[in-house]
Amino acid sequence: MFNTKSLVPQSGDLNIQLSPGLLLILGAFILFWACRYAIKARRYQIDAAFGEDNGSEPPQHVLKYKWPLALDIVKRGFQAGRQQKLLALFTEYFGQLGSTVELTIFGGTGYATVDPENIETILSTHFDAFHLGPRNMAMMSMIGEGIFTQDGPAWKHSRELLRRQFVRMQHKNLEGFREHVENMIDCLRNSEGVVDLEPVFYRLTLNTTIAIILGRSVENFNHEIGDTFSKAFDKASLVTATRVRLGDLYFLYAPRGFVAACNTVKSYVDPFVREALQQGRDGKEKSDKYTFIADLHGEHRDERLVRDQVINVLLAGRDTTAATMSYALRLLVRYPETFKKVRDEVDTVLGQNKDITRSHIQPLRPYPPVPINTRFCKKATTLPRGGGLDGRSPILVWEGMPVAYSVYHMQSREDLYGADAGTF
């Protein structure tokens, strides 16, 4: 016969004993989360009152999703990134919704905007209310502590320091570029079939930037070392860009070879820093090619910080310049009349033995080198447009909320630049 009493715990059968230490840890854990919740609740009330006092309204446009945590949106984003069609995906979303959109990804809410007044607020009028957020940690593995990973006073100091350095550089001296341009042209002449110019431009701008800052280029090393460095820089840059897009979850993406690529980039720059600083210790007169590094060390007094700033500048000099060259050539070959006008101007200038001036073209308006960027709200503020039924009221930006802004899409708006906004 089945004895049901055996299934019922009898008095004394359950004898669970918790040690005082375990109880203390459990109590501290509960207290921590209770305090955290109370602080967030209080912050929510303060931010909500701030928004009400400043006339904010609910956002006019909200991006809808079908899968939990908006995983369908995330999937489309990664697919578009692999297909190099991320800007086209954003164009679709802004075209369907509006110039300022609220979106919720992985449970976190933020905004994406192409409104010029909102972008001016982020980058100018309320600049101190925003910071880089997790972007600095996402980029730290590759470029360390420099102008791209700094906020507030540290960023302002780096900006002023680098500005002084670039003013002193002889960036108008064509001899610093001629060798690398000629190498690129020789490479193209010896190529067969269709040539992808983008990696060629990336190699060119990396070489010229290194030549200006460090006094030598990748080509000064043997082929194996130069090729290894270039490949490492490419891999580290691509992975870092993906980590930045992941926001707080950047640490989830660190594919095989990423750490090694970052170490290769740093180990390439380290000898230049040490050699430049050794000149100063030996009492030698600073070489022109090391002035940049020596002056950085005069400010930072830390070899690691000097190296990090150099890598930051290498990233800026390579990526933005190569992107601008790619867009410019893309447009010129599609508009032969403009191409001829530019060639005639260059021929005229060179024929008169004058310094080459910038051609009167405008690739930076329809194709900015940094098309999309993100800032995180440091303290509650408002964006002037995007709220209410007509989208003309302010919207509240909560503390910690990300705001993505697209200069690319703003500068392609037909209501701002006319029906031919997308035409060069």
Side-chain angles (χ1 to χ4, degrees):
M1 189 71 180
F2 190 76
N3 185 2
T4 57
K5 291 184 179 181
S6 63
L7 301 178
V8 181
Q10 303 298 313
S11 177
D13 288 348
L14 298 177
N15 186 17
I16 301 176
Q17 295 183 352
L18 298 177
S19 66
L22 184 59
L23 285 173
L24 181 62
I25 294 174
L26 182 61
F29 180 79
I30 295 174
L31 180 62
F32 169 77
W33 283 104
C35 292
R36 182 181 175 89
Y37 176 81
I39 292 173
K40 292 185 70 174
R42 179 56 180 163
R43 171 54 57 189
Y44 178 89
Q45 293 175 347
I46 294 174
D47 288 358
F50 174 85
E52 185 175 350
D53 292 343
N54 286 273
S56 64
E57 297 284 345
Q60 180 187 23
H61 301 293
V62 178
L63 180 63
K64 304 296 183 182
Y65 55 87
K66 299 178 181 178
W67 296 358
L69 302 178
L71 291 177
D72 54 322
I73 305 297
V74 175
K75 179 183 178 182
R76 287 198 66 190
F78 275 97
Q79 288 177 338
R82 286 195 297 268
Q83 298 169 0
Q84 297 185 348
K85 295 182 178 179
L86 197 58
L87 292 179
L89 179 63
F90 275 80
T91 299
E92 176 185 333
Y93 285 144
F94 285 123
Q96 291 175 352
L97 297 171
S99 59
T100 300
V101 181
E102 180 189 89
L103 59 158
T104 301
I105 307 290
F106 292 135
T109 301
Y111 296 118
T113 184
V114 298
D115 190 294
E117 292 188 32
N118 289 345
I119 295 176
E120 183 182 20
T121 298
I122 297 168
L123 300 180
S124 180
T125 54
H126 288 179
F127 179 81
D128 291 336
F130 294 90
H131 66 130
L132 297 177
R135 190 184 91 178
N136 55 355
M137 295 304 299
M139 302 181 73
M140 194 70 70
S141 296
M142 178 186 177
I143 64 176
E145 185 178 350
I147 190 168
F148 287 144
T149 57
Q150 292 174 326
D151 271 316
W155 174 82
K156 292 180 179 179
H157 177 72
S158 290
R159 181 185 63 174
E160 178 59 23
L161 173 62
L162 294 176
R163 186 191 67 80
R164 295 202 306 265
Q165 300 301 324
F166 285 120
V167 167
R168 294 173 57 180
M169 285 183 180
Q170 295 180 349
H171 58 277
K172 294 183 180 180
N173 182 3
L174 293 180
E175 293 303 319
F177 297 88
R178 189 180 304 279
E179 173 189 357
H180 308 294
V181 173
E182 290 177 351
N183 288 339
M184 181 191 71
I185 293 174
D186 289 340
C187 177
L188 295 177
R189 284 173 176 165
N190 296 327
S191 300
E192 297 180 358
V194 178
V195 179
D196 184 358
L197 287 177
E198 188 175 52
V200 176
F201 286 155
Y202 273 105
R203 181 68 174 239
L204 169 68
T205 54
L206 180 62
N207 274 347
T208 54
T209 305
I210 290 175
I212 292 173
I213 295 175
L214 302 181
R216 10 181 352 191
S217 73
V218 174
E219 311 302 343
N220 290 131
F221 293 91
N222 63 57
H223 176 75
E224 182 179 352
I225 295 178
D227 193 51
T228 298
F229 171 75
S230 297
K231 289 180 178 178
F233 203 97
D234 287 341
K235 183 176 183 62
S237 299
L238 290 173
V239 174
T240 298
T242 301
R243 285 160 64 90
V244 169
R245 290 197 291 269
L246 288 173
D248 289 318
L249 301 178
Y250 72 90
F251 59 89
L252 295 177
Y253 188 66
R256 180 180 300 178
F258 170 62
V259 174
C262 293
N263 290 337
T264 297
V265 172
K266 293 174 182 177
S267 64
Y268 174 87
V269 176
D270 279 333
F272 294 101
V273 175
R274 288 194 294 267
E275 185 175 346
L277 300 183
Q278 188 61 45
Q279 280 192 349
R281 298 189 188 102
D282 294 343
K284 298 178 180 179
E285 184 178 350
K286 288 188 295 186
S287 170
D288 289 340
K289 69 179 183 179
Y290 288 139
T291 300
F292 182 83
I293 295 177
D295 288 347
L296 284 178
H297 187 256
E299 291 282 343
H300 291 299
R301 313 304 302 176
D302 186 313
E303 290 186 19
R304 180 184 61 82
L305 291 178
V306 173
R307 180 201 66 195
D308 290 349
Q309 286 284 23
V310 170
I311 297 175
N312 274 253
V313 176
L314 289 181
L315 182 66
R318 188 193 82 140
D319 287 16
T320 56
T321 310
T324 302
M325 291 178 64
S326 299
Y327 281 132
L329 194 59
R330 178 184 185 273
L331 292 170
L332 288 173
V333 297
R334 284 165 172 75
Y335 295 89
E337 293 182 0
T338 304
F339 199 174
K340 183 179 183 303
K341 187 184 300 184
V342 173
R343 294 195 64 171
D344 290 343
E345 180 179 343
V346 172
D347 289 340
T348 300
V349 172
L350 290 177
Q352 296 176 358
N353 197 26
K354 296 180 179 178
D355 293 333
I356 297 178
T357 59
R358 293 183 179 182
S359 303
H360 189 62
I361 57 177
Q362 51 158 349
L364 289 179
R365 199 271 299 169
Y367 298 110
V370 183
I372 299 176
N373 216 327
T374 304
R375 289 291 186 272
F376 288 76
C377 187
K378 185 162 53 177
K379 58 182 180 181
T381 187
T382 59
L383 297 179
R385 295 166 63 88
L389 296 178
D390 58 0
R392 297 181 178 275
S393 299
I395 52 175
L396 174 62
V397 186
W398 305 81
E399 181 179 327
M401 177 179 283
V403 181
Y405 59 94
S406 175
V407 179
Y408 169 83
H409 292 92
M410 180 192 73
Q411 294 178 166
S412 300
R413 287 178 53 174
E414 294 185 0
D415 58 326
L416 298 178
Y417 293 95
D420 60 348
T423 303
F424 173 64

